[in-house]
Amino acid sequence: MILTVTPNTALDVTYRVPALLPHAAHRVTEVTERSGGKGLDVARVLAALGHEVTVTGFAGGPTGRVVRERLTGVTDALVPCAAATRRTLTVVDQRTGNTTRFDEPGPVITPPSGPPSRRRTSDCWPAPTRWPCAAVCRRGYRWARTGAWCAPRGPRASPCCWTPVVRRCAARWRRAPT
């Protein structure tokens, strides 16, 4: 089983228009929605290649519910959060094939009681209700044989949160060629 960690999930919405012109109204000819974020994209490819994949990350609000409903071919271990999951909007110009993309900012992930002190970063790990970043990896790090951490621009969270979580996951997961 492979675990992908996607701290910044998204609902990817794509509009197709005959031609994209600045300062003009456009009639959309096709709309598609799918679960997105780097880790969910990686999971989709791995599942298509026949691997058993579990996805984890944050999903919140009505957009997060749609993200979960659109997951196919993978096991859902997303962690609920109070902040709404972001959306991305891509507009495809059918005449030229060019795309224009708009990315909403990701959620701000914070623990209810604030970050632990630097001297006690291990406190992040055992209490997922106090520290959501730990809850993400607790969902699968123990039984995953390989993992993919997919967060070039993850949610805004204290490095004190992610550092011990990433270290534990990395120590557990088998190294894979990149």
Side-chain angles (χ1 to χ4, degrees):
M1 196 282 298
I2 299 171
L3 176 72
T4 63
V5 180
T6 312
N8 205 11
T9 58
L11 177 63
D12 293 340
V13 180
T14 302
Y15 290 168
R16 294 188 183 283
V17 297
L20 181 61
L21 304 169
H23 314 292
H26 297 85
R27 294 218 180 256
V28 176
T29 58
E30 181 185 350
V31 178
T32 57
E33 291 182 339
R34 72 176 191 178
S35 299
K38 302 288 186 257
L40 297 182
D41 297 340
V42 167
R44 195 173 7 265
V45 170
L46 290 169
L49 294 171
H51 296 280
E52 180 187 344
V53 183
T54 296
V55 297
T56 191
F58 297 109
T63 309
R65 280 192 293 282
V66 175
V67 165
R68 295 181 100 149
E69 291 167 3
R70 300 270 192 277
L71 286 175
T72 57
V74 299
T75 302
D76 175 0
L78 293 170
V79 175
C81 66
T85 297
R86 70 189 177 104
R87 293 170 294 188
T88 66
L89 174 64
T90 302
V91 181
V92 179
D93 181 328
Q94 292 174 312
R95 181 176 45 94
T96 64
N98 291 336
T99 62
T100 301
R101 187 166 127 178
F102 301 90
D103 293 343
E104 292 179 358
V108 176
I109 304 297
T110 58
S113 59
S117 69
R118 285 210 170 281
R119 293 185 312 273
R120 300 188 60 189
T121 56
S122 62
D123 290 349
C124 298
W125 188 254
T129 56
R130 283 186 37 231
W131 199 250
C133 304
V136 166
C137 280
R138 285 182 65 126
R139 291 282 175 119
Y141 101 100
R142 294 179 197 271
W143 32 264
R145 60 184 171 82
T146 304
W149 187 268
C150 306
R153 291 184 313 221
R156 296 163 291 212
S158 166
C160 171
C161 163
W162 289 116
T163 302
V165 173
V166 172
R167 283 187 183 141
R168 285 191 188 223
C169 291
R172 173 83 174 161
W173 293 340
R174 181 174 45 171
R175 302 286 189 256
T178 55

